[in-house]
Amino acid sequence: MAVESVAWCYRGGPISAEPRINDRIRVPEVRLVGPSGEQVGIVPLAKALELAQEYDLDLVEVAATARPPVCKLMDYGKFKYESAMKAREARKNQAHTVIKEMKLRPKIDPHDYDTKKGHVVRFLKQGDKVKITIMFRGREQSRPELGFRLLQRLADDVQDLGFVESSPKQDGRNMIMVLGPHKKKTEAMAEAREAQAARKAGRLPKDDDGQEQEQAEQDAPADAS
C-alpha cells in the first residue's frame, strides 16, 4: 500500500507532506496492516506501537483520512530511499521532445553535405526532430527550386530513419523543412543505454558513431548549425 502524502495547511500554506509515524500518530486506535500487507484489523494505538517495536519497524500512517486511520508496519527509512530511487529512475527515463536545427546553403559542396547529413542521421537515431533550414543569399533567392531539390534529396537520403513532418516552405530568405524520427525518443534512449552497456562490457567495439552518441547523451541539447 503506497503511503498517502497529506499536506496539512495553516492559513493557506502547506506545513508538511510527510506521513505521521510512530509517536507522532495521535489517535486512540488504528486499522493495522502488517509488514507483508496482511490485514491485522483495528487495534489500539498502543498495541500497534508495541508490534512495531517487536518487528523493529516503524508504524506509518498511510491513510490519514480513513476512520480509523490506516497504519502499516514498515521500515520507513528504506521505503523513503526506494521511493526516491524510483522517482530518480522515472526522471531518467522521461523523454523530452527536442528539435535540433541544421542549416545548409543551396549550393553546398558534397563534403559539407555529407557532414551535415551525418548530423541529421545522428539526431534522428536519437529520436529527435530536425529542422532543416536552407539559407538563400543574394541572387540565390531567385532560385528557390535549388533549396527545394536539396531538401528533397536530404529527405530521401534519411527516409529509413525519418519522415517529412513539415513540407518545405519559404520563410523570408530561408526555406524550412522539419523531419520527424520513425523511432520514439524512449526507444532511442533505451537502445543507446543498451549499446553503451555492451561497449563497456566489451561486447561491442566503440566506433565513431558510438562515441558521438555517448557525447550527445552527455551534452545538453543544443542546436547544430
Side-chain angles (χ1 to χ4, degrees):
M1 181 181 297
V3 173
E4 177 185 274
S5 296
V6 180
W8 298 94
C9 296
Y10 177 70
R11 293 185 180 177
I15 296 177
S16 174
E18 293 287 329
R20 293 185 295 185
I21 65 173
N22 300 326
D23 56 2
R24 290 171 52 197
I25 302 172
R26 305 286 186 177
V27 292
E29 59 184 16
V30 298
R31 184 178 298 277
L32 185 63
V33 179
S36 299
E38 68 276 17
Q39 297 291 331
V40 177
I42 297 176
V43 300
L45 176 62
K47 177 63 176 178
L49 291 171
E50 181 182 329
L51 289 173
Q53 289 184 341
E54 289 181 9
Y55 283 104
D56 194 23
L57 295 172
D58 298 300
L59 181 67
V60 182
E61 189 177 60
V62 296
T65 57
R67 292 293 179 267
V70 180
C71 295
K72 184 177 181 180
L73 298 174
M74 68 171 74
D75 183 336
Y76 187 58
K78 180 180 179 182
F79 170 81
K80 287 187 67 176
Y81 174 79
E82 291 177 348
S83 297
M85 290 299 99
K86 288 179 181 178
R88 180 181 177 183
E89 188 65 22
R91 289 193 298 270
K92 181 180 177 182
N93 293 331
Q94 189 174 11
H96 297 281
T97 301
V98 176
I99 299 181
K100 304 287 187 175
E101 182 171 13
M102 187 62 57
K103 297 179 180 179
L104 295 79
R105 294 294 305 281
K107 295 181 180 180
I108 188 170
D109 66 65
H111 175 73
D112 285 345
Y113 174 80
D114 289 338
T115 299
K116 301 282 188 177
K117 184 181 71 173
H119 289 308
V120 174
V121 166
R122 177 160 55 87
F123 295 150
L124 292 173
K125 283 183 177 180
Q126 292 171 198
D128 294 325
K129 296 181 180 182
V130 189
K131 176 183 176 183
I132 312 296
T133 301
I134 305 295
M135 301 180 298
F136 295 94
R137 293 178 183 173
R139 296 181 179 180
E140 293 173 346
Q141 297 179 59
S142 63
R143 301 288 304 281
E145 69 276 6
L146 295 178
F148 182 84
R149 284 202 296 265
L150 182 57
L151 291 175
Q152 187 60 54
R153 174 188 173 189
L154 181 59
D156 291 341
D157 286 347
V158 299
Q159 61 182 331
D160 291 340
L161 299 172
F163 61 95
V164 178
E165 183 174 286
S166 179
S167 300
K169 62 181 179 180
Q170 198 76 27
D171 182 16
R173 296 184 178 183
N174 301 327
M175 183 174 288
I176 296 172
M177 175 181 73
V178 177
L179 296 174
H182 291 313
K183 189 180 299 182
K184 292 182 179 179
K185 183 71 172 179
T186 50
E187 295 174 357
M189 291 171 63
E191 289 181 7
R193 284 195 296 270
E194 290 175 3
Q196 185 176 10
R199 283 193 295 272
K200 287 182 178 179
R203 296 195 299 270
L204 288 176
K206 183 177 287 188
D207 54 19
D208 292 340
D209 184 64
Q211 291 175 345
E212 287 185 351
Q213 179 68 26
E214 281 191 19
Q215 186 62 41
E217 292 169 3
Q218 296 170 4
D219 294 341
D223 290 345
S225 59

